[in-house]
């Protein structure tokens, strides 16, 4: 069964600190892996998309890594800001057409001052 | 900046009634999607739509559900006979050409079935 597991479930950090979120997946056939940010009550917003052949991708203060052999990914946030408080969701694209997205439960990040 | 819009933002209906959720995808996008998120749970894929037909659908997307692109701009999700467990946030998304293209999500419609 296609699954995406994330850890930790929640995280509290001080403003300015760095953090790393983890994702493990068992999805077949694998197309690509995405990280999304979701604010409460809003739609997810894409941060990064990585295909099988990519092992790192950055978007500003967000850096995602992918190890397709071990089926693991991480999202590193540097110099956190209060506005980074949100749910960060690991999403794997699956299915023959590659359009079905399998979502993890997300890591809830709280950044405090 | 172009964005996906959804209407209504909140829909309340009685169990057994039909509802239609509406979405206006980004104008030059070709792929359209519906997702749902039950309160406190993860986002779940329902269906993808391309070239006026369903591309993929999940087990959730049973005969109770249907999608349509009635004109050049709207994309709708119809739930024929709503159940209590259909209460959720429904997100529409769209993407440009290519399977790996970024999906842009709308703000969602919160459906409450009483």
């Amino acid at each position: 069964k296609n699954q995406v597991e994330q850890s930790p479930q929640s995280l509290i950090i001080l403003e300015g600190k760095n953090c790393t979120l983890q994702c493990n997946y068992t999805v077949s056939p694998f197309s690509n892996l995405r990280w999304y940010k979701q604010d409460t009550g809003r739609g997810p917003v894409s941060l990064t998309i990585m295909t099988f052949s990519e092992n790192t991708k950055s978007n500003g203060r967000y850096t995602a890594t992918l190890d397709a052999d071990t089926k693991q990914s991480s999202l590193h946030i540097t110099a956190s800001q209060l506005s980074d408080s949100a749910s960060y969701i690991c999403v794997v694209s699956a299915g023959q057409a590659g359009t079905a997205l399998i979502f993890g439960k997300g890591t809830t990040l709280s950044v405090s001052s | 900046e172009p964005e996906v819009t959804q209407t209504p933002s909140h829909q309340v209906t009685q169990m057994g009634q039909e509802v239609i959720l509406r979405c206006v995808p980004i104008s030059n996008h070709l792929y359209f999607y519906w997702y749902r998120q039950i309160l406190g749970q993860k986002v779940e894929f329902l269906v993808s739509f391309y070239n006026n037909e369903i591309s993929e659908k999940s087990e959730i997307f049973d005969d109770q559900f249907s999608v349509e692109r009635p004109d050049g701009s709207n994309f709708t999700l119809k739930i024929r006979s709503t159940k209590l467990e259909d209460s959720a946030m429904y997100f529409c998304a769209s993407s440009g050409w290519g399977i790996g293209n970024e999906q842009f999500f709308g703000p969602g419609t919160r459906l409450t079935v009483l």
Side-chain angles (χ1 to χ4, degrees), chain B residues 47-86:
Chain B
V47 66
S48 60
F49 191 85
Y50 170 72
N51 199 25
N52 282 320
E53 62 183 23
I54 290 174
S55 179
E56 289 185 280
K57 62 181 181 179
S58 71
E59 294 173 351
I60 303 169
F61 193 88
D62 59 21
D63 293 342
Q64 177 197 12
F65 294 91
S66 62
V67 289
E68 193 178 29
R69 188 155 164 82
D71 53 43
S73 60
N74 290 285
F75 180 51
T76 62
L77 174 69
K78 181 189 290 185
I79 308 175
R80 251 179 282 282
S81 177
T82 51
K83 306 171 196 165
L84 295 177
E85 54 264 38
D86 293 328

Side-chain angles (χ1 to χ4, degrees), chain A residues 11 35 58 70 73 80 86 103:
Chain A
L11 184 62
W35 282 93
S58 292
T70 62
S73 176
S80 60
F103 284 70

Side-chain angles (χ1 to χ4, degrees), chain A residues 51-67:
Chain A
T51 62
F52 184 89
S53 59
E54 296 175 292
N55 54 25
T56 188
K57 183 161 280 189
S58 292
N59 177 5
R61 295 180 296 104
Y62 302 103
T63 299
T65 66
L66 172 64
D67 185 333

Side-chain angles (χ1 to χ4, degrees), chain A:
Chain A
K1 183 179 178 184
N2 290 329
Q3 283 190 318
V4 178
E5 304 289 340
Q6 293 187 243
S7 62
Q9 186 176 0
S10 62
L11 184 62
I12 301 173
I13 61 173
L14 289 175
E15 187 179 12
K17 297 297 185 183
N18 304 335
C19 66
T20 300
L21 314 179
Q22 302 292 340
C23 172
N24 296 294
Y25 62 92
T26 52
V27 175
S28 179
F30 173 87
S31 179
N32 53 67
L33 186 143
R34 309 157 188 237
W35 282 93
Y36 280 86
K37 178 185 179 185
Q38 186 179 25
D39 293 311
T40 303
R42 307 293 298 272
V45 175
S46 178
L47 298 175
T48 62
I49 301 174
M50 289 182 291
T51 62
F52 184 89
S53 59
E54 296 175 292
N55 54 25
T56 188
K57 183 161 280 189
S58 292
N59 177 5
R61 295 180 296 104
Y62 302 103
T63 299
T65 66
L66 172 64
D67 185 333
D69 291 332
T70 62
K71 296 183 169 54
Q72 294 180 325
S73 176
S74 66
L75 179 70
H76 186 73
I77 305 174
T78 58
S80 60
Q81 301 175 356
L82 296 177
S83 58
D84 291 335
S85 295
S87 178
Y88 290 84
I89 309 174
C90 177
V91 183
V92 180
S93 179
Q96 295 299 328
T99 57
L101 298 188
I102 310 298
F103 284 70
K105 291 184 178 180
T107 292
T108 300
L109 175 65
S110 298
V111 181
S112 60
S113 57

